[in-house]
Structures are given as C-alpha cells and as structure tokens.
Amino acid sequence: MRLRSTLTVSFRALRRNVLRSLLTALGIIVGVGAVIAMVSIGNGAKSVVEAQIASLGENVLLVFSGSFNQGGARSGAFGAGTLTVEDAEAIKREVTTVIGVSPEVRSSAQILANGLNWSTQILGEGADYLTIRVWPLSDGVMFSEADVRSVGKVCVIGQTIATQLFPDGSAVGQVLRIKAQPFKVVGVLAAKGLSVQGQDQDDLVIVPYTSAMRRVSKQTMLRSISVQASSPDTMTLAQNDIVALLRQRHRTAEGSDDFTVRSQVEIAQAATATADTMTGLLGAVAGVSLIVGGIGIMNIMLVSVTERTREIGIRLAVGAHGREIQLQFLTESIVLSVLGGTIGILAGIGASELVSHLKGWPTLVSPTAVVVAFFFSAAVGMIFGYYPARKASLLDPIDALRYE
Amino acid sequence: MSAVVKLEDIHRIYDSGEVKVHAVRGVSLELHKGEFMAVMGASGSGKSTLMNTLGCLDRPTSGRYLLDGVDIAGLDRNELADLRNEKLGFVFQGFNLLSRTTALENVELPMLYGRRRISHRDMQERAEHCLEIVGLAARADHFPSQLSGGQQQRVAIARALVNNPQVLLADEPTGNLDSKTAVEVMGVFQKLNEQGITIVMVTHELDIAHYCRRNLIMRDGKVVSDVQVTDRLSADDELRKLHAAEAAAKLTA
C-alpha cells in the first residue's frame, strides 16, 4: 500500500471541491469548537472556585464548634461555642503533625476612626492566622504572639476598612476604635476580593483572639479553630488525631461529637463538584454536536461515493485495488474531520476568549480537552467514513464504469 | 512470434436468477504484437462482453484466456487489477476523465496504482511524454472541461499509454466524436500502432474499422468473420482530403 499516493489522491479529490469539503467539515468545526469553548468556560468557573479554596490557606483543617444536645434540645451549628482556648492549645501541644493553630472568634461592631464610622466583622485570631491562610500584608506587620498573650490593643485591617476609614494616606500606626476602645493598626492586608458567595473578604478587622474575647465581645468559647498541617500528606493523620484528642477532651463518642473537623480538601471537593458537573454537562451537549457532525460527514461521503461511481470505476479499471479505494475515501473523511477538528479547536479557543472578553467570565482552555477533541474528531472521521469507503471499495468496475 | 492475447473457446454466461444469458458462445482467437483489430457487431452481439473479458474486468465462465502468457483463471480481484495496470490500457467511449483534475494528473492516474514505486518527478515526466505523443503537451494543465471532445479522448489515450501496456483496449473511442475529430483520433491510434503497440477497438462504424488492420465481426456471441483489411485507410490521407474539401468549399462559396 503506497500511503503517499493515497494521500495525494485524497487531497486532490478534496481540493476539487473546496466549498463542499469546508461545508462538510463545518459540522465538525462547530462540534469541536463547542466542546472546547464549553469546557473552557466550565474550567474557568472551576478555576475560580479552586482559587477561592486555595485562598483558605495551605493544608488547612478547620475545627468548627458543632451543635450540642442539652436535655433533648439541639442547637444548630456554631450554636454553642463548644471549643475552648484550651482545646486549641491542646491541639498545638499534642498533635505533632500540626505546625500552626489559630483560635477564632467572630463578632461584628461599629468601628470609628478619623471621624468616620463603619460596621464590620471583627475576627479574633491567633498570630499564626495569616500564615495559615497564606494571606500577605500589603503594609505593616501582623500582631505577634506577645500581643496575643498580653491581650494587646492592636489590629490588622482589610483593604475595604483601609479605604473606608483611612482614605488619605497610610493606615498603619493610626488608631481606630472598637466598642470605644482604641486599637492600633499594625498592618493592612492585601486585597482578596469577593468570595464565591459574593462576600467582600476585605471587609474585616483582625485582632488577637484574647483581645476579641475580653475586650470586644466578651465571648468565652471559640467559634472555630484553624489548623495548619505540616504537609498535604499529613492532613488525614492530623485530622484523625484532632478528632481523637477532642473526643477525649469533650468526652464525646463517635456520632455525638459537638465539633466538626473539615479539611480543605473536603471543602474543595464539595465546591468543585458543582463546577465539574457543569463542565461535564456542557461538554456532553457539545459532544452530541460532534456526533451530528460525524453523521454529516458520513452523509456527504455516501453522496460522494455515489456521485463518483464512474471515477471509482476508472480507478479500478486502471489497476486500483479495492483496499486503495477504501483507503482513499477513508483518508478523505479523516482529512475532513481532522481539518474540521483543527479549525474547530482554533474556533473554540477564539470563542472562549471572546466570551471572557465580552462577558467577563473567566475561561481556561483545557489542553486535555484540545487533545481529546482532536483525536475524537479523527475517530469520528474514521468511524463515519468507514461505511461509505467500504461501499466504494466493493463496487464492480464494469458496473461502476457504466454508471450514469 | 507468440501471441499477446490468446483466447481458447471462451464462453460467458450471465446468470441473473431464472434467465441465463449466453453472451459469448465459444470464441477463440489470437492477437499478435503490433496488430490493430476492430471488433464489430450489432448491440447484443457479445462484443462488449468480449472486450470486458479481454480487459480483465470480467472473467469468462469457461475457456482459457492467456494475456502475455499469463492465464488469468487463477488470479484474484487484486491480481487482475495489477494485470490491468501493467499490461492493459483503456480508452472509453465517454472519455472517462476525472473532472476538475488537470490533463497531466489524469494521465498520471495509472502510475499512482502501479506496484512499482515511481518518484513524483518521474511520474510527471512520463505523463508529459505521453501527452506529447498524442500532441497535447501544451494543454497539460488544462481541465477536461476546457478541452474539446477530441482533445479529451487524446488525454484518455495518453493515460492508457502511460504504463507501456501490451495491449490498448478502446471501447468505441470515436462514438462521441464528430467525423473529422474521429479521423484525427484514428490517426493517433495508427501512429501508435506503427510504433508497435497492439490495439483492439470496438466500433460499430464501418468506415472507422477501415483504419484498422484486422476486422472481427461478431453475431450472437460468435465470431462470424475475421479478416485482414485490404483497402486500409490512412488517417493522414483522409485528413488531407478533408482539409482540401473544406478549403474548396470556402473557395467556391
């Protein structure tokens, strides 16, 4: 079998009917383009979610105080502060795979500075908090462990607070008042933007948890504890150890825990599952159009075989083998579909660029989708080209030559 | 000299269910190198079936066919195709050129299916050479739609020649041409025959048969007459006469 001659013959045949070749390939172009664009959009959405999850920090485990049962009345999640500062200290002390712990309390308050005021969320955190969350400062420093121990009147503020309360110049070194108590601003956080839920993550003030508990909200229990494991591999181990430790400390049995330990991985999985489903759905719908494109190719190839019966007769008469005729038509359909696939990939990338440009949606072209779409389109050409090619190869030369 | 084509008691029966059509009933003949034979007969006389058999497009129901010493009885579909490619050249009534394909590429076609590897450059040179033989070197890059009927048939002849066949088979090559063009095409055949190429052609025009050396007449699947042509016409002479007549017509008009 001389591949080069067959390719020559196929290309000549396609070149003879450029418009029809392009129209035939159009089905594949649209199909592949749609797959690429849809998957890009789906992936873009997923990447946003993933970025949000990553913003939780590195190897983070979150211990939430859970519901508790008192005389048959059950509280909701976070309902009771069941976690204590001692719990947090115990975790830090006894779980060896943990490298950072930050107890957390939350409350909201009206804060004042420069004659301006603003209602915001006050987070009480440990000194490790920013390290755990991998949240850099744009200015100043984080309060220290000493500030935590001394119930210091220091705070770190988000970008929104900085613009709202300190519109002119640097906020670091300035003083703001929370519940009439002065707190010195030691650092300004880098901007983080909106969360997946649409909340402004920069609208907050972080103070040492000790200060939050005693000076701001008079809470005695923790809302949650952020824990950082030493590496991704030790997360499961750390999680199990924390659960065991807290059960021991709280004297609870499995099933009646008054706390919940969630790993970042679990949260990420839950959040990306939706995005994955979305991508899958979009891809499947686009995939259907690829099949339709394939049927289009088959249709045109069948028409082409009938229309070119005499040509096939001539080729057989001058010595073509049935296999060569088959290969010619198969090559034609594969060339059409691969050509369509290539143009479709470019069109899909273009379309996703356009979407992100016009709609402002984030898109992410998936190399896997590109490769899969390319080979899938080649496979479509092969599968849907096979029957017409086979039909052509089985023609009898005498009948084919006489065909009108 | 051994025969290029040798038929021994060839029968061909078409079996289409209940009706059996006995198209060729016992034909034996020999064709030697350099012969130029016309096969004539009314439609249904079996001449097309005989041509298909000679062209290895069809197998006889019984009888022996030796082409260049090869018995085709034992060959499969692909081996027959190879035989057609190497030893036979076909010229059809309807030209059967590939449309939207240049004359040169049409002539290259049989080489694309040859078992021997030929480089692209050689292919092109050989195709150009064959176009030159039929006097169409200047039209190599024309498409069939841009050529007259006679020119198209000459491209078809060039295509038939390109693999140096043992026998050139022509099925009513002048059937679609006007009489003057037909004479021109016969001139091409005569020139090729003088160079030693064996030609078999089917025709139902008696005057066209007169350009050949041998006339075979078939009726009801049998050969009823097989004679050498005595008063053979020369296409060159006839063309000259035609030109003279045309010139005269213009002079007197």
Side-chain angles (χ1 to χ4, degrees):
Chain A
M1 191 68 53
R2 291 127 315 142
L3 195 66
R4 240 190 64 182
S5 311
T6 312
L7 281 176
T8 311
V9 167
S10 300
F11 276 111
R12 280 178 184 176
L14 289 175
R15 210 184 50 206
R16 264 186 272 151
N17 223 326
V18 177
L19 182 65
R20 187 162 82 184
S21 302
L22 279 178
L23 285 175
T24 309
L26 194 62
I28 296 289
I29 293 174
V30 171
V32 169
V35 167
I36 301 288
M38 292 299 147
V39 172
S40 297
I41 292 167
N43 269 336
K46 195 176 152 187
S47 74
V48 170
V49 174
E50 278 172 349
Q52 300 283 2
I53 300 301
S55 76
L56 282 178
E58 249 170 30
N59 313 324
V60 172
L61 291 165
L62 293 172
V63 185
F64 298 111
S65 65
S67 75
F68 72 109
N69 190 329
Q70 201 169 47
R74 294 163 72 205
S75 74
F78 307 119
T82 53
L83 295 170
T84 61
V85 175
E86 288 74 32
D87 285 337
E89 283 165 356
I91 291 169
K92 190 164 192 178
R93 195 173 54 238
E94 291 177 33
V95 183
T96 49
T97 45
V98 162
I99 55 170
V101 171
S102 173
E104 180 181 299
V105 290
R106 283 191 191 188
S107 58
S108 51
Q110 200 77 17
I111 57 175
L112 300 121
N114 282 340
L116 298 163
N117 70 89
W118 190 254
S119 173
T120 189
Q121 198 171 34
I122 314 295
L123 257 65
E125 297 286 354
D128 291 340
Y129 184 65
L130 295 188
T131 322
I132 297 170
R133 296 283 308 262
V134 196
W135 196 344
L137 290 155
S138 68
D139 197 7
V141 291
M142 178 61 176
F143 52 77
S144 66
E145 196 60 50
D147 290 323
V148 173
R149 275 198 303 274
S150 64
V151 198
K153 290 195 253 183
V154 287
C155 68
V156 168
I157 59 171
Q159 281 288 342
T160 307
I161 306 295
T163 39
Q164 293 297 335
L165 295 185
F166 306 103
D168 339 296
S170 171
V172 174
Q174 307 259 21
V175 171
L176 57 77
R177 286 176 177 276
I178 308 172
K179 299 223 167 146
Q181 298 189 67
F183 279 78
K184 192 181 164 201
V185 177
V186 292
V188 179
L189 292 161
K192 210 160 198 182
L194 296 181
S195 73
V196 190
Q197 289 79 22
Q199 283 171 339
D200 182 1
Q201 299 179 92
D202 299 318
D203 188 1
L204 84 174
V205 174
I206 302 175
V207 299
Y209 68 93
T210 48
S211 313
M213 291 169 90
R214 285 182 219 164
R215 296 183 193 277
V216 180
S217 62
K218 318 287 187 215
Q219 292 176 84
T220 52
M221 303 298 247
L222 301 175
R223 179 184 181 273
S224 62
I225 305 170
S226 305
V227 179
Q228 187 172 34
S230 57
S231 73
D233 304 328
T234 58
M235 282 186 78
T236 318
L237 187 65
Q239 187 171 5
N240 292 341
D241 286 352
I242 292 168
V243 169
L245 178 71
L246 290 179
R247 273 189 194 140
Q248 193 194 355
R249 290 180 59 86
H250 293 197
R251 300 195 179 79
T252 56
E254 197 174 341
S256 62
D257 287 336
D258 57 0
F259 59 90
T260 322
V261 183
R262 290 243 179 278
S263 80
Q264 192 185 359
V265 179
E266 285 171 349
I267 298 165
Q269 277 167 352
T272 52
T274 320
D276 277 341
T277 310
M278 196 68 180
T279 310
L281 263 174
L282 291 173
V285 169
V288 169
S289 63
L290 251 183
I291 305 262
V292 173
I295 295 170
I297 286 197
M298 175 135 123
N299 185 20
I300 291 295
M301 291 310 292
L302 279 173
V303 170
S304 177
V305 167
T306 310
E307 200 184 70
R308 285 153 69 188
T309 301
R310 272 171 87 88
E311 176 193 325
I312 296 163
I314 298 164
R315 292 182 188 278
L316 288 170
V318 302
H321 289 188
R323 274 189 60 120
E324 286 167 325
I325 299 292
Q326 187 176 347
L327 196 67
Q328 177 194 336
F329 279 88
L330 206 53
T331 310
E332 278 179 38
S333 70
I334 293 172
V335 166
L336 276 179
S337 60
V338 166
L339 189 82
T342 312
I343 300 176
I345 287 168
L346 296 178
I349 293 172
S352 44
E353 288 290 316
L354 201 67
V355 163
S356 65
H357 195 71
L358 292 181
K359 285 259 176 185
W361 295 351
T363 59
L364 191 73
V365 175
S366 148
T368 322
V370 169
V371 172
V372 168
F374 183 81
F375 283 103
F376 193 73
S377 63
V380 161
M382 216 177 292
I383 292 162
F384 289 102
Y386 180 80
Y387 173 67
R390 180 97 190 123
K391 203 177 148 190
S393 73
L394 293 178
L395 285 173
D396 180 73
I398 299 173
D399 294 340
L401 278 170
R402 241 185 243 142
Y403 185 86
E404 291 297 329
Chain B
M1 193 165 66
S2 74
V4 178
V5 167
K6 190 171 184 187
L7 299 180
E8 287 174 10
D9 195 27
I10 295 287
H11 288 260
R12 180 68 174 101
I13 302 163
Y14 292 106
D15 192 352
S16 57
E18 289 164 25
V19 192
K20 285 187 181 175
V21 180
H22 209 145
V24 173
R25 304 160 183 259
V27 171
S28 298
L29 66 88
E30 280 191 11
L31 201 63
H32 293 276
K33 190 162 166 50
E35 283 205 82
F36 187 1
M37 181 170 82
V39 179
M40 285 187 292
S43 58
S45 62
K47 62 182 193 301
S48 289
T49 307
L50 184 69
M51 278 301 271
N52 287 340
T53 307
L54 283 173
C56 297
L57 290 165
D58 195 12
R59 258 185 279 241
T61 312
S62 69
R64 234 157 78 94
Y65 172 24
L66 296 173
L67 173 61
D68 201 25
V70 181
D71 190 345
I72 72 147
L75 303 181
D76 67 16
R77 202 174 132 99
N78 288 342
E79 286 166 330
L80 283 180
D82 291 343
L83 206 64
R84 289 196 294 272
N85 183 261
E86 285 160 22
K87 297 192 188 295
L88 299 171
F90 291 90
V91 178
F92 305 96
Q93 180 179 4
F95 318 137
N96 277 345
L97 297 176
L98 300 186
S99 58
R100 302 192 203 201
T101 304
T102 64
L104 191 76
E105 285 175 355
N106 263 295
V107 177
E108 283 176 1
L109 189 67
M111 289 188 284
L112 290 176
Y113 295 109
R115 298 303 113 185
R116 277 172 296 129
R117 270 194 162 284
I118 305 170
S119 74
H120 190 75
R121 179 185 294 266
D122 286 351
M123 234 182 239
Q124 204 169 331
E125 270 172 19
R126 268 167 68 175
E128 276 166 1
H129 176 67
C130 288
L131 279 174
E132 213 170 287
I133 293 175
V134 298
L136 276 180
R139 303 290 173 106
D141 53 354
H142 283 51
F143 292 102
S145 55
Q146 297 168 318
L147 298 171
S148 72
Q151 286 168 333
Q152 287 187 53
Q153 194 58 298
R154 282 192 275 165
V155 173
I157 294 170
R159 181 179 67 193
L161 287 175
V162 82
N163 270 351
N164 298 320
Q166 295 290 320
V167 184
L168 200 66
L169 296 169
D171 190 358
E172 300 205 28
T174 59
N176 284 9
L177 301 174
D178 65 73
S179 57
K180 189 184 161 204
T181 317
V183 175
E184 278 172 7
V185 166
M186 289 315 294
V188 174
F189 279 125
Q190 280 190 335
K191 209 168 81 192
L192 292 171
N193 180 241
E194 272 152 31
Q195 287 162 12
I197 292 171
T198 314
I199 302 170
V200 179
M201 63 179 266
V202 167
T203 181
H204 56 251
E205 293 164 275
L206 210 61
D207 52 332
I208 291 295
H210 268 79
Y211 292 92
C212 305
R213 292 175 193 272
R214 179 178 170 186
N215 282 359
L216 189 82
I217 296 166
M218 291 191 68
R219 192 179 302 143
D220 298 330
K222 287 180 185 153
V223 175
V224 291
S225 157
D226 184 358
V227 293
Q228 296 294 324
V229 179
T230 45
D231 51 346
R232 193 164 169 249
L233 295 173
S234 155
D236 288 347
D237 293 346
E238 294 304 307
L239 275 178
R240 214 169 292 130
K241 278 187 217 165
L242 272 170
H243 283 306
E246 274 175 8
K250 262 182 224 148
L251 277 176
T252 53

